[in-house]
């Protein structure tokens, strides 16, 4: 088993070329993936194989796609106030499927708190309501993008108050008690399961890609009956293999680990 998991951020629009725009990068990368003869499989299938619930051949010569933060840009085409019209991630996936006939799927790790997203829409985007959740159920029902948890409020530094009880914002490493972990992980899973029923969230991606010993060695493995997470993803640059840590699975992040098609090709061929 060797499956590279690629992570993109649809809010990363700082230009209209590959290195500055994750939408442009995703469209180019899908064609590279096809040229290399690789398949795209759901991230949940990678976890099933890791846990021995599906045969390894179902992820042979495969990659998985993930999106972090979960704004409108994942689902809708938008007119960026600086960089103009942008094809949303879902549109990029649909275009590729229509062009090639290949199966496509991605997992969007979303920030769950409505209050946090309303603030982040003003502090991190253009204040146009692009961080709402109206698209989550249509996306889940279409089956192109699965919705999973990126925590309750990301413990984001631009929020006046977060669920971290001591006020240590801007890092997920400070989520190191049962109360804080429940507030960020279990509460997010409860909200998603309630609002997207019958869908059940099972995967988690660490905000900032940051974990700690408490989450990886204690909370996630020991409190599964409460939080229902089956695997968690960080951002260590490596493929998922049998020996990968279930509670901190690796991913390659666009822009951080590659910034050109040639760099991604090297990761996929030999990473």
């Amino acid at each position: 088993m060797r499956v590279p998991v690629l992570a993109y951020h649809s809010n990363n629009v700082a230009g209209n070329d590959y290195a500055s725009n994750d939408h442009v990068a995703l469209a180019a990368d899908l064609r590279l993936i096809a040229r290399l003869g690789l398949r795209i499989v759901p991230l949940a299938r990678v976890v099933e194989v890791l846990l021995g619930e599906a045969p390894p051949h179902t992820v042979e010569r495969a990659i998985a796609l993930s999106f972090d933060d979960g704004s409108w840009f994942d689902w809708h085409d938008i007119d960026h106030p600086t960089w103009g019209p942008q094809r949303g991630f879902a549109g990029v996936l649909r275009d590729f499927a229509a062009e090639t006939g290949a199966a496509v799927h991605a997992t969007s790790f979303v920030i769950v708190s409505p209050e946090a997203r309303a603030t982040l829409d003003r502090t991190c985007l253009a204040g146009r309501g692009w961080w709402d959740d109206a698209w989550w159920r249509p996306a889940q029902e279409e089956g192109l993008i699965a919705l999973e948890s990126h925590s309750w409020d990301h413990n984001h530094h631009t929020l006046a108050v977060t669920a971290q009880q001591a006020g240590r914002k801007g890092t997920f490493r400070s989520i190191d008690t049962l109360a804080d972990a429940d507030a960020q992980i279990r509460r997010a899973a409860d909200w998603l399961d309630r609002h997207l029923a019958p869908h059940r969230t099972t995967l988690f991606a660490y905000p900032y890609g940051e974990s700690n010993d408490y989450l990886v060695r204690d909370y996630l493995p020991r409190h599964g009956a409460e939080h229902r997470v089956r695997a968690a993803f960080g951002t260590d640059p490596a493929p998922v293999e049998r020996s990968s840590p279930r509670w901190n699975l690796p991913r390659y992040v666009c822009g951080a680990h590659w910034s050109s098609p040639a760099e991604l090709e090297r990761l996929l061929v030999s990473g």
Side-chain angles (χ1 to χ4, degrees):
M1 177 184 183
R2 180 189 178 280
V3 185
V5 179
L6 308 183
Y8 299 83
H9 293 76
S10 65
N11 295 337
N12 283 354
V13 179
N16 282 314
D17 63 2
Y18 187 105
S20 64
N21 188 315
D22 278 22
H23 300 253
V24 175
L26 176 63
D29 293 346
L30 291 173
R31 284 152 184 79
L32 171 64
I33 290 163
R35 180 171 65 78
L36 294 175
L38 301 174
R39 300 178 296 119
I40 299 169
V41 297
L43 195 56
R45 173 50 57 91
V46 178
V47 172
E48 289 169 355
V49 173
L50 182 74
L51 300 182
E53 299 171 355
H57 73 80
T58 60
V59 295
E60 287 179 1
R61 292 196 56 76
I63 65 99
L65 302 174
S66 63
F67 307 149
D68 280 10
D69 298 338
S71 76
W72 254 44
F73 294 23
D74 285 29
W75 185 249
H76 294 277
D77 297 344
I78 59 100
D79 189 4
H80 193 277
T82 303
W83 302 108
Q86 305 291 326
R87 190 74 162 130
F89 277 178
V92 172
L93 295 177
R94 294 189 197 102
D95 292 345
F96 175 73
E99 176 185 325
T100 65
V104 291
H105 189 274
T107 296
S108 178
F109 289 104
V110 299
I111 300 169
V112 176
S113 166
E115 295 79 14
R117 284 185 279 103
T119 298
L120 294 173
D121 189 76
R122 298 190 302 271
T123 60
C124 299
L125 294 180
R128 299 187 179 186
W130 284 336
W131 226 321
D132 76 356
D133 52 45
W135 61 274
W136 291 4
R137 182 169 288 279
Q140 191 67 46
E141 291 175 349
E142 183 186 15
L144 183 68
I145 298 177
L147 277 295
E148 297 288 356
S149 173
H150 200 34
S151 82
W152 180 248
D153 60 24
H154 207 282
N155 202 32
H156 202 275
H157 70 280
T158 68
L159 300 175
V161 178
T162 73
Q164 206 285 327
Q165 295 182 351
R168 292 179 288 150
K169 301 182 295 181
T171 175
F172 214 70
R173 295 190 182 97
S174 63
I175 309 303
D176 56 7
T177 68
L178 177 61
D180 284 346
D182 270 349
Q184 289 288 357
I185 298 174
R186 180 178 179 179
R187 184 181 184 188
D190 289 347
W191 197 100
L192 286 173
D193 286 359
R194 185 166 61 251
H195 286 80
L196 294 179
H199 171 66
R200 290 292 180 263
T201 184
T202 62
L203 306 180
F204 178 75
Y206 293 105
Y208 310 105
E210 296 176 348
S211 59
N212 57 46
D213 281 347
Y214 172 71
L215 293 173
V216 171
R217 301 180 186 279
D218 188 332
Y219 180 77
L220 288 171
R222 292 183 57 206
H223 296 273
E226 293 80 32
H227 58 64
R228 290 101 62 204
V229 174
R230 286 163 50 81
F233 289 83
T235 55
D236 290 338
V240 175
E241 300 179 303
R242 280 288 188 189
S243 59
S244 297
R246 175 181 177 180
W247 303 114
N248 192 16
L249 292 169
R251 292 186 295 166
Y252 296 102
V253 180
C254 182
H257 300 137
W258 83 92
S259 57
S260 71
E263 290 177 356
L264 178 60
E265 182 170 358
R266 285 195 291 272
L267 291 178
L268 296 180
V269 171
S270 61

